[in-house]
Amino acid sequence: MTFSIHGLAVARGIAIGRAVLVASSRVDVAHYFIDPAQIESEIDRVRSGRNAVVEEIHRLQQTISQLGPKDAPNELRALLDVHLMMLQDEELIGGVKHWIQDRLYNAEWALTTQLEMVARQFDEMEDEYLRERKADLEQITEKVLRAMQGVASPTLPTVVRSGRKPAQQDLQLDDTDVPLVLIAHELSPSDMLQFKQGVFAGFVTDVGGKTSHTAIVARSMDIPAVVGARTASQLVRQDDWVIIDGDAGVVIVDPSPIILAEYGYKQRQVELERSRLGRLLNTPAITLDGERVELLANIEMPEDAPAAMRAGAVGVGLFRSEFLFMGRQSQLPDEEEQYQAYRRAVEGMNGLPVTIRTVDVGADKPMDGNLPETAYLNPALGLRAIRWSLADPAMFLTQLRAILRAAAHGPVKMLIPMLAHLSEIRQTLALIEQARAELTRDGHTFGAVQLGAMIEIPAAALMLKTFLRHFDYLSIGTNDLIQYTLAIDRADESVAHLYDPLHPAVLRLVADTIAECRAQGKEVSVCGEMAGDIAMTRLLLGLGLRSFSMHPAQILAVKQEVLRADTSKLAPWAQAVLVHDEPASLLAG
Ligand code: PEP
Ligand code: MG
């Protein structure tokens, strides 16, 4: 039966495919397709993982058989029996085999998919004792996954699919030609990054706001995505046919043939529009009245640089360096690793400028990849971004040295996130000086960098003169500026309706920042999601903005808006929008 689920539209387009429910495992799980020749070895890997855990339990059983009931309570013995029973359950192994043989999922993916299937059956059980056994199942699956980590995996994704039609060299099996869409309760930004290799044609998550970092990474992948779909992961079943309408923020489950045909048509229209925009690739972004506009790319990894170039970006306006730091547990990247990564980004941009933002972890970008469960903490107001860097000067110096060294290979701008206090500015500048002095002392080559600050806390937007005394340029992080001005957690879907880029207070702060920079002849850009939103392009141009940084996939659509704009007419209109009580009502005009 067809039904629809409503959420928040975060990445445009239509995806039609089979649902893959991703079980939230605490073990990182890779998702890729194997070659048919690897089927047996993948099944063997799962078997070896399972056997290792069975042996471990047998050993434990032997040990406790020598202990009295005081040291080894009967509950523990019973629990081990349950774990053994589950591990030897044919449904678990049979299911895993199915995902590997028929779908060509890699071993870990097959195991977590089957876990999800069986876990649902547990959820539906009436008996509370049996229902609670789900936790045991999750535990043993995790153990098997860990045991499998010790067994080498053929990590080369021989078949990487996205929503596109399979290319000739891709595998041609009936069942594997179907695009897959991912449905999850929650994905951290680093989880999301794992999926960047392009296995999925679309994403749906139960939680998350439009500018949560998970949504941002989904958008950067340029595939349809809906977040904040609340109960999607409970309502959708493994393998259901699903349509994701990334424009409307709707997920349609088990669509009828008529609905499928309608969305198939819409999908083709989207593709047509994309190819039409492709013609603008080499057209310079100049408005009707001759104003040159800089369209830059936001990237998460150095490997994103080629896509930025292909999209026609004239540089990187925001390299979110924190993605190098996330999911590493306590093993942070050292100076050499960071230097090589920044250098790859710089060289990948072929002489175009690269803005490297110093690490911005915290809030919804936790270091260990796990989202915080503690409701009472307020991580967005906590030790995040520059606060985190200044709390660990040695770590910060390592990053500063790496960035300065990478600057020897091409134009680099350094960008500091979330500054609010003059004392933070002073400490940051002193550490940059120290990094330069250390590099000189150590005989390292390094380059000159322009220094910029992000304006993403209202306090910063209210002390622009101070900021401009210390920095070469400013970059407005509207995602956080909106969050902190309106006191709306950007990752919380329950207040998403209040997250308003057109709130008069937000517009005032954005407008003042642009105006002050222009008055002082300093560069200013917007690198928050507002910059890639075509509904905002004319307004930002009217406010005097000439530098926009966004996901590469948005560049051509924004360029089209630029080419149609006349800033001499937009400027007075933008001033009227600015003083209006309800700016949104003027935006269509
Ligand atoms: C912003 O806040 O607008 C921004 C660009 O930074 P991030 O989204 O990474 O917080
Ligand atoms: Mg920010």
Side-chain angles (χ1 to χ4, degrees):
M1 192 193 64
T2 305
F3 63 94
S4 56
I5 305 165
H6 292 252
L8 303 166
V10 295
R12 306 196 55 189
I14 310 286
I16 304 175
R18 286 255 183 95
V20 173
L21 281 128
V22 170
S24 39
S25 160
R26 274 162 286 172
V27 182
D28 277 347
V29 173
H31 297 74
Y32 56 87
F33 293 98
I34 56 164
D35 190 275
Q38 296 169 313
I39 290 176
E40 281 313 314
S41 59
E42 284 301 275
I43 294 175
D44 273 351
R45 285 206 308 121
V46 183
R47 236 183 244 129
S48 312
R50 181 193 60 175
N51 292 346
V53 181
V54 168
E55 272 170 36
E56 188 191 314
I57 296 179
H58 280 319
R59 273 198 303 276
L60 209 64
Q61 280 179 323
Q62 253 180 2
T63 313
I64 61 174
S65 69
Q66 288 148 20
L67 302 173
K70 221 171 126 209
D71 296 319
N74 283 338
E75 288 83 351
L76 178 59
R77 295 168 206 266
L79 195 71
L80 291 179
D81 286 342
V82 170
H83 281 197
L84 265 186
M85 209 175 68
M86 285 176 165
L87 279 167
Q88 282 153 353
D89 176 30
E90 279 316 302
E91 194 182 343
L92 187 68
I93 292 301
V96 172
K97 270 190 186 170
H98 155 71
W99 298 113
I100 296 176
Q101 276 168 343
D102 303 340
R103 289 300 180 78
L104 300 177
Y105 288 6
N106 65 304
E108 289 84 354
W109 185 6
L111 183 59
T112 49
T113 303
Q114 189 56 23
L115 163 72
E116 185 68 33
M117 300 283 284
V118 182
R120 272 176 190 245
Q121 294 167 10
F122 277 94
D123 280 341
E124 282 157 18
M125 285 176 182
E126 294 207 339
D127 185 305
E128 198 184 326
Y129 171 79
L130 287 178
R131 253 200 333 266
E132 283 170 2
R133 300 285 63 81
K134 184 177 139 180
D136 295 314
L137 183 68
E138 286 169 349
Q139 237 179 53
I140 60 150
T141 307
E142 214 166 299
K143 277 192 178 154
V144 176
L145 284 169
R146 286 191 201 283
M148 282 164 62
Q149 277 177 349
V151 184
S153 157
T155 41
L156 264 192
T158 48
V159 185
V160 174
R161 298 186 312 178
S162 62
R164 67 189 163 83
K165 296 225 164 31
Q168 268 193 338
Q169 72 272 21
D170 285 348
L171 213 62
Q172 301 281 344
L173 285 184
D174 286 347
D175 220 18
T176 54
D177 281 350
V178 177
L180 301 176
V181 298
L182 185 139
I183 317 278
H185 173 66
E186 182 173 47
L187 290 171
S188 72
S190 59
D191 287 338
M192 204 69 186
L193 213 59
Q194 274 193 45
F195 300 127
K196 248 192 155 167
Q197 59 177 337
V199 170
F200 295 107
F203 289 88
V204 179
T205 58
D206 292 348
V207 301
K210 259 187 161 180
T211 57
S212 63
H213 284 91
T214 300
I216 287 175
V217 180
R219 211 169 290 137
S220 77
M221 293 160 73
D222 193 22
I223 53 174
V226 171
V227 301
R230 288 162 189 262
T231 49
S233 73
Q234 289 162 37
L235 298 174
V236 180
R237 284 164 313 170
Q238 197 76 254
D239 242 16
D240 274 348
W241 274 98
V242 167
I243 297 174
I244 301 176
D245 183 340
D247 295 293
V250 175
V251 183
I252 300 165
V253 186
D254 199 10
S256 66
I258 294 180
I259 298 178
L260 261 179
E262 190 185 316
Y263 274 93
Y265 173 74
K266 274 195 192 175
Q267 204 174 27
R268 286 190 293 281
Q269 292 301 105
V270 173
E271 277 165 21
L272 216 65
E273 174 62 16
R274 272 183 199 205
S275 65
R276 236 181 257 132
L277 281 176
R279 295 188 204 135
L280 302 181
L281 190 62
N282 298 313
T283 312
I286 299 176
T287 62
L288 292 173
D289 56 325
E291 289 285 314
R292 189 170 280 276
V293 178
E294 186 180 48
L295 301 179
L296 304 161
N298 289 356
I299 65 170
E300 278 88 38
M301 299 299 274
E303 290 68 36
D304 297 334
M309 292 287 281
R310 280 197 303 276
V314 296
V316 168
L318 175 65
F319 174 1
R320 289 183 162 98
S321 70
E322 55 274 14
F323 282 89
L324 297 172
F325 288 66
M326 283 152 58
R328 307 273 306 232
Q329 313 309 333
S330 47
Q331 279 284 307
L332 295 187
D334 63 14
E335 180 178 323
E336 194 56 28
E337 183 183 340
Q338 287 189 58
Y339 160 63
Q340 293 299 348
Y342 304 142
R343 179 179 170 172
R344 279 202 305 282
V346 171
E347 291 180 341
M349 290 308 291
N350 243 339
L352 296 173
V354 176
T355 307
I356 303 173
R357 178 175 73 182
T358 60
V359 65
D360 178 4
V361 289
D364 68 332
K365 282 183 287 192
M367 280 289 278
D368 61 4
N370 296 321
L371 294 166
E373 283 168 13
T374 35
Y376 60 90
L377 287 176
N378 212 333
L381 303 182
L383 199 64
R384 187 193 153 180
I386 190 64
R387 302 169 181 184
W388 190 79
S389 297
L390 292 176
D392 188 347
M395 185 281 305
F396 193 31
L397 272 169
T398 302
Q399 178 170 41
L400 295 174
R401 287 169 52 118
I403 296 174
L404 291 168
R405 286 175 60 195
H409 302 277
V412 168
K413 292 169 149 188
M414 199 188 284
L415 183 60
I416 314 295
M418 251 190 108
L419 286 164
H421 299 264
L422 181 59
S423 60
E424 291 170 329
I425 297 176
R426 288 200 174 119
Q427 284 176 67
T428 302
L429 297 180
L431 284 167
I432 294 170
E433 264 324 298
Q434 187 179 334
R436 286 193 180 110
E438 285 180 10
L439 289 173
T440 310
R441 180 200 64 200
D442 299 345
H444 278 299
T445 313
F446 62 96
V449 295
Q450 273 194 50
L451 265 187
M454 289 195 71
I455 300 296
E456 48 188 352
I457 298 180
L462 294 168
M463 49 190 284
L464 294 163
K465 288 196 167 52
T466 308
F467 271 72
L468 286 174
R469 263 202 300 280
H470 296 283
F471 290 99
D472 301 316
Y473 71 98
L474 299 180
S475 186
I476 310 175
T478 47
N479 305 336
D480 279 315
L481 189 60
I482 298 166
Q483 155 164 276
Y484 295 124
T485 304
L486 303 179
I488 301 297
D489 186 335
R490 61 193 268 196
D492 182 350
E493 71 280 4
S494 67
V495 285
H497 59 292
L498 297 171
Y499 187 94
D500 180 11
L502 287 171
H503 189 290
V506 172
L507 290 186
R508 170 56 57 199
L509 296 175
V510 171
D512 286 355
T513 307
I514 297 170
E516 187 64 35
C517 285
R518 284 180 68 109
Q520 294 203 27
K522 296 244 175 152
E523 282 178 26
V524 58
S525 70
V526 169
C527 63
E529 297 300 290
M530 220 183 205
D533 180 354
I534 52 170
M536 305 296 299
T537 313
R538 288 164 0 109
L539 179 60
L540 291 171
L541 286 170
L543 294 175
L545 190 74
R546 298 293 179 263
S547 175
F548 297 63
S549 192
M550 67 202 83
H551 300 293
Q554 284 303 107
I555 288 180
L556 293 181
V558 172
K559 192 189 277 188
Q560 178 165 270
E561 291 299 306
V562 169
L563 297 174
R564 291 171 177 168
D566 180 341
T567 60
S568 65
K569 292 190 181 129
L570 288 175
W573 167 74
Q575 290 309 311
V577 173
L578 212 50
V579 293
H580 202 276
D581 280 348
E582 291 174 288
S585 65
L586 292 188
L587 224 61

